[in-house]
Amino acid sequence: MSEQKKYMTLNMGPQHPATHGVLKVILELEGEVIHRAIPVIGHLHRGVEKLGESKTYIQNIVYTDRLDYTSAMINNLAYCLAVEKLMNIEVPERAKVIRVIMSELSRIAAHLIWLATHALDIGAMTLYFYCFREREKILDMWEMVSGQRLTPSYIRIGGLLADLPEGFMDKLKEFVDTFDAHVDEYDKLLSKNPIWLARTKDIGIISAEDAISWGLTGPALRGSGVKFDYRKAQPYCGYEEYEFDVPVGSKGDNYDRYLVRMEELRQSNRILKQAIKRLPEGPIKAHVPEIVFPDKDLVLKNIEALIHQFKIGCGGFTVPKGEVYASVENAKGELGFYIVSDGSSMPYRFRIKSSCFVNLSALPEIVKGSMIADVVAVIGSIDIVLGEIDR
Amino acid sequence: MQIVIDGKNITADHGLTILEIAKKEGIHIPTLCFMEKLLPIGSCRMCVVEVEGYENPVTACNTPAVDGMVIRTNTEKIRNMRKDILRFLLINHPLDCPICDKGGECLLQDLVYEYNVDVQPYTIKAPLKEYKEYSTPAIKYHPNRCVMCSRCIRTCREVVGRNVLDIVGNGFDARVEPVNPDRCIACGECLSACPVGALTETVSPTKGRIWQIKRVPTVCAYCGVGCSLELNVLDNKIIKVTTDVNAGMNKGVLCAKGRFGYEFVNSPERLTKPLIRKGNELVETTWDEALSFVASKLTEIKNKYGSDSIAGLASARCTNEDNYLFQKFIRAVIGTNNVDHCARL
């Protein structure tokens, strides 16, 4: 008892602008030095996994948008890949390439939010506006394809919601052509900034060994020098056919993780350039009439299509008995879906493997012994989204 | 008798049809015009199956099984035939699913989805059929949705015995029409027999999809027969009455009152408080006051004019227990045999 008394307990969050959502961290302080940090989660718990058991496989797509809402499309993709794997559906080539385009746009959009808020947390406000300028363009593109900016639900089981609208490719090309220069701009503003270096270099270190034992994934793992990326390790959507590098850090501090993500912005753009060249003509949905919605213009003209739309939309489709796990590399790390089907039209069990949850669990270890001001820098640098942690 | 269905050796009784045996064994053969309580006519051809040694496929619903038959119910050829039958049925079908009462519990929808009929290779130019008055205002007939299974006609003839309906016209002009409208008793048996949305009821203005409504099993209170009902309840309001074929002694059959007489349940005109006539007006009162008023008047009349000056008329809508108590009250307390109920009138 007497030993505990000399620490001051400080509640950081959940109403705190720099805990990236509704995260609360209970800090035990010795002066300004952190003796212990306890993350408290659950303020954003919606029961998505339980809800998933009473929604049809199609209805569940919209819940995935709301996990890591900074990069909704990758979440759609991870879920759809899991269901497609369970049902043995092969998606047409054009849909695959569009899925890669959307994934990489999501990654860029998520990393831009990370960069903007991470820099803002530490005091570099200007960058915020630069980043949101580019993110806005991505959201515009999402709006073009799906009508939604934040929660598009564009990727569907068996393909996509609809084909790319007219003018989308021009907009994408314009974005891709200018984006590398924008990353250079961010680079100039931060990478050699002495305040930035003081706040990130040698701060929040986690060794490669520790990172692996904590089960970190994504840039938080690669920052520590472990070259592991699901796009390379277990390629999906034809990622094995794209040329890109997996950047890694050396020390595992805030600055390394920063450099990794900055390089990932460039690499994502590189993948986008290849995808634009590769994009073939063809259908965007697998031809599985009992599962995939028919085209809307057919539904308005054709009774067969109307009946299928009605039956799939109202009752959902049944999925054969079995269980499946599929994961993708989202902006934060591994996002996986574990689904058990009992042969009905709703999952029997619906579990989400969230990288943010795992990465956050290493926070107490990372901030132990560092200064109180570093907590915000570390939270920003491991890049969490509470929507995915609490689910 | 030994037969083989889809590779399964089956011992079956003589005189059963292929469909009956398959159903018992849990082998699914799709049907459309077939109903258990009607004679099978093999008109829709959905139940076609292949029999080894037979030149052409046969309809399972009206082909008796013969010893040694080898039957296949789900071959590629059979599936294609069923698909073609569905395409013919859909060839002129209106795009009504979103506004059709039957959407979601429509046999045609289910079959089209089951057989994945997603393209229509055939075209036809046929004018839309006109709406005409049906034999009862409680039912509306949509000629363009009709699949000509004749279940309504056969139910009217074989189950109800009224012979009201028949098919009029032929080819693409064919439609179901009440040829003897005067004989119609508005029982709605044709409505319940319709596998699609060609016959819809017009009584309740509220409609609900099958997954929105709750089906509450109950017993009809209209008369002493006591038919099983399923009240279709949406937002705590009855919007339709159906009945389960397997429940009760009515076996899926109802009369006009049981099927269409449910609107009173939610009527705002129902009495919820006792009324006493004061002067020329009926005034709301409490149960205590009403009951003591009735008791004192009955005692007064009985003492003045004798027991037989009073008669009791009960309602057939009450439960048996209530009616038993009522006659007991009239006989034992009032002391008269003047007791009856409205169903006899």
Side-chain angles (χ1 to χ4, degrees):
Chain A
M1 255 341 250
S2 59
E3 210 188 349
Q4 278 184 347
K5 265 188 184 164
K6 64 182 180 184
Y7 301 119
M8 186 176 89
T9 305
L10 185 73
N11 281 321
M12 189 172 164
Q15 284 88 10
H16 189 290
T19 54
H20 291 214
V22 281
L23 172 68
K24 172 177 162 182
V25 187
I26 301 171
L27 299 170
E28 282 176 10
L29 302 169
E30 197 176 0
E32 270 197 83
V33 179
I34 293 155
H35 170 251
R36 198 151 74 123
I38 307 160
V40 181
I41 59 171
H43 292 91
L44 203 60
H45 181 74
R46 290 99 68 208
V48 171
E49 291 177 345
K50 192 69 197 164
L51 269 171
E53 294 166 16
S54 58
K55 302 278 173 221
T56 64
Y57 284 90
I58 298 174
Q59 288 173 319
N60 272 326
I61 294 176
V62 296
Y63 288 98
T64 65
D65 278 322
R66 288 146 179 85
L67 296 171
D68 174 2
Y69 39 80
T70 61
S71 59
M73 291 248 200
I74 305 191
N75 310 343
N76 297 160
L77 178 62
Y79 171 72
C80 292
L81 283 177
V83 180
E84 283 161 12
K85 197 169 156 189
L86 191 57
M87 305 191 74
N88 271 328
I89 300 174
E90 184 65 27
V91 174
E93 194 56 31
R94 183 176 171 85
K96 276 188 188 170
V97 178
I98 296 176
R99 283 173 170 199
V100 168
I101 291 176
M102 292 307 165
S103 289
E104 294 314 314
L105 282 177
S106 301
R107 196 179 316 281
I108 292 174
H111 279 0
L112 286 175
I113 279 218
W114 154 78
L115 184 60
T117 53
H118 183 32
L120 185 70
D121 289 347
I122 306 181
M125 195 169 186
T126 314
L127 198 66
Y128 188 90
F129 302 104
Y130 283 68
C131 290
F132 268 74
R133 181 186 59 192
E134 271 72 69
R135 186 178 150 87
E136 195 65 16
K137 285 179 192 158
I138 295 176
L139 295 190
D140 283 347
M141 281 187 262
W142 286 0
E143 193 179 355
M144 282 175 87
V145 296
S146 71
Q148 294 280 339
R149 295 167 67 80
L150 198 65
T151 53
S153 294
Y154 175 63
I155 292 166
R156 299 292 173 91
I157 297 160
L160 305 163
L161 165 68
D163 208 342
L164 298 174
E166 220 174 288
F168 177 87
M169 287 313 280
D170 298 335
K171 204 148 185 187
L172 179 66
K173 275 175 198 153
E174 192 194 324
F175 176 84
V176 168
D177 289 342
T178 53
F179 188 63
D180 281 332
H182 290 310
V183 181
D184 291 341
E185 270 179 345
Y186 315 147
D187 203 45
K188 268 182 209 158
L189 279 163
L190 281 185
S191 295
K192 284 175 186 160
N193 181 326
I195 306 172
W196 182 255
L197 289 174
R199 295 298 307 274
T200 56
K201 265 224 144 129
D202 294 327
I203 301 221
I205 297 176
I206 183 160
S207 70
E209 213 170 75
D210 281 351
I212 291 171
S213 3
W214 276 100
L216 303 191
T217 48
L221 174 70
R222 294 192 282 272
S224 301
V226 184
K227 200 165 185 171
F228 182 82
D229 187 316
Y230 273 94
R231 288 173 294 175
K232 292 276 191 198
Q234 291 173 13
Y236 51 90
C237 291
Y239 265 112
E240 65 274 20
E241 292 158 23
Y242 295 85
E243 270 179 39
F244 64 101
D245 300 327
V246 177
V248 289
S250 50
K251 226 185 282 173
D253 60 3
N254 285 356
Y255 193 66
D256 273 354
R257 289 190 282 272
Y258 158 76
L259 288 181
V260 165
R261 290 201 184 87
M262 289 297 267
E263 185 54 31
E264 280 189 14
L265 286 174
R266 294 195 173 93
Q267 292 299 331
S268 287
N269 204 32
R270 197 172 147 198
I271 297 173
L272 282 175
K273 280 176 191 163
Q274 296 168 47
I276 291 172
K277 274 193 202 139
R278 187 185 286 262
L279 186 68
E281 289 298 316
I284 46 109
K285 288 173 191 168
H287 183 73
V288 200
E290 71 270 32
I291 290 160
V292 180
F293 277 119
D295 288 334
K296 191 69 190 175
D297 53 334
L298 267 183
V299 172
L300 298 175
K301 280 189 293 207
N302 182 318
I303 182 69
E304 293 80 11
L306 179 65
I307 288 177
H308 278 85
Q309 156 110 0
F310 190 101
K311 293 296 282 183
I312 299 170
C314 295
F317 49 79
T318 55
V319 173
K321 268 186 191 179
E323 55 184 317
V324 72
Y325 180 77
S327 59
V328 301
E329 182 78 26
N330 83 350
K332 271 80 175 167
E334 180 198 11
L335 175 69
F337 283 87
Y338 173 64
I339 297 169
V340 181
S341 166
D342 58 356
S344 71
S345 60
M346 294 168 195
Y348 175 75
R349 199 78 180 84
F350 179 68
R351 289 281 289 167
I352 302 159
K353 195 269 174 189
S354 150
S355 57
C356 290
F357 178 80
V358 179
N359 293 357
L360 176 71
S361 63
L363 177 76
E365 189 68 17
I366 299 174
V367 298
K368 197 173 181 181
S370 50
M371 308 290 275
I372 184 169
D374 294 337
V375 176
V376 162
V378 172
I379 289 176
S381 136
I382 59 174
D383 192 17
I384 51 161
V385 162
L386 269 293
E388 194 183 293
I389 290 172
D390 286 342
R391 304 196 278 288
Chain B
M1 179 176 75
Q2 287 286 333
I3 62 164
V4 180
I5 304 182
D6 290 347
K8 194 176 173 188
N9 288 307
I10 294 162
T11 315
D13 297 337
H14 279 279
L16 294 176
T17 63
I18 299 173
L19 183 68
E20 280 167 330
I21 296 170
K23 227 174 214 175
K24 256 187 209 164
E25 295 295 321
I27 297 165
H28 170 65
I29 298 176
T31 55
L32 184 62
C33 73
F34 175 80
M35 267 182 110
E36 244 162 49
K37 54 186 171 187
L38 303 179
L39 298 171
I41 57 166
S43 132
C44 71
R45 321 303 287 181
M46 273 310 288
C47 64
V48 283
V49 292
E50 269 186 304
V51 180
E52 227 166 67
Y54 284 38
E55 204 174 319
N56 293 321
V58 296
T59 44
C61 69
N62 61 356
T63 306
V66 180
D67 195 23
M69 262 188 174
V70 179
I71 300 153
R72 275 181 292 273
T73 67
N74 209 8
T75 59
E76 186 68 29
K77 183 180 165 193
I78 290 291
R79 283 187 70 86
N80 283 336
M81 291 181 93
R82 290 180 185 154
K83 270 188 170 183
D84 260 351
I85 291 157
L86 289 168
R87 286 185 187 122
F88 292 149
L89 290 179
L90 290 178
I91 199 161
N92 213 17
H93 201 88
L95 299 172
D96 272 358
C97 296
I99 52 157
C100 176
D101 290 3
K102 207 65 178 233
E105 49 184 331
C106 169
L107 206 48
L108 185 62
Q109 271 189 338
D110 293 349
L111 289 169
V112 168
Y113 184 64
E114 185 187 336
Y115 281 87
N116 266 332
V117 182
D118 66 330
V119 279
Q120 175 63 276
Y122 313 114
T123 49
I124 167 79
K125 268 188 190 161
L128 284 179
K129 297 177 207 171
E130 278 169 45
Y131 281 90
K132 280 186 190 167
E133 207 176 324
Y134 199 63
S135 58
T136 160
I139 298 173
K140 190 173 179 185
Y141 175 61
H142 307 259
N144 295 304
R145 294 179 190 167
C146 186
V147 292
M148 292 295 152
C149 65
S150 78
R151 271 162 63 155
C152 48
I153 298 166
R154 288 179 290 140
T155 306
C156 193
R157 189 178 300 154
E158 295 171 29
V159 178
V160 193
R162 303 301 293 183
N163 242 331
V164 176
L165 304 168
D166 210 342
I167 289 179
V168 171
N170 43 31
F172 279 104
D173 299 326
R175 55 185 292 149
V176 173
E177 252 176 48
V179 286
N180 295 314
D182 302 341
R183 289 180 56 80
C184 181
I185 51 168
C187 63
E189 272 307 294
C190 48
L191 173 73
S192 74
C194 186
V196 295
L199 292 175
T200 57
E201 63 127 11
T202 57
V203 178
S204 170
T206 319
K207 305 283 177 203
R209 289 286 185 219
I210 176 144
W211 55 88
Q212 295 173 300
I213 54 176
K214 204 168 92 184
R215 287 200 164 153
V216 185
T218 184
V219 176
C220 182
Y222 268 110
C223 74
V225 176
C227 295
S228 285
L229 300 183
E230 276 178 326
L231 302 180
N232 293 229
V233 180
L234 176 76
D235 297 336
N236 218 19
K237 268 189 178 171
I238 302 171
I239 59 162
K240 196 165 83 174
V241 173
T242 51
T243 176
D244 186 353
V245 186
N246 300 314
M249 32 53 65
N250 54 315
K251 297 270 181 281
V253 180
L254 286 178
C255 73
K257 285 198 273 184
R259 197 186 304 277
F260 299 121
Y262 54 85
E263 288 262 278
F264 72 91
V265 177
N266 296 313
S267 169
E269 288 169 27
R270 285 183 77 178
L271 288 183
T272 52
K273 280 181 184 155
L275 304 174
I276 289 183
R277 191 178 296 279
K278 286 178 181 163
N280 274 335
E281 292 216 351
L282 285 165
V283 184
E284 270 189 16
T285 176
T286 61
W287 279 110
D288 279 347
E289 196 191 336
L291 288 174
S292 45
F293 177 73
V294 172
S296 66
K297 283 286 179 195
L298 282 177
T299 320
E300 197 184 311
I301 296 168
K302 188 182 162 188
N303 291 341
K304 201 167 171 188
Y305 303 104
S307 292
D308 282 341
S309 62
I310 299 171
L313 185 65
S315 167
R317 311 286 317 282
C318 299
T319 60
N320 279 345
E321 290 81 355
D322 284 346
N323 274 331
Y324 174 79
L325 284 175
F326 184 76
Q327 64 84 25
K328 198 80 180 164
F329 169 77
I330 296 291
R331 289 191 220 268
V333 180
I334 307 287
T336 174
N337 284 331
N338 297 338
V339 60
D340 208 339
H341 72 89
C342 64
R344 204 205 289 259
L345 295 175

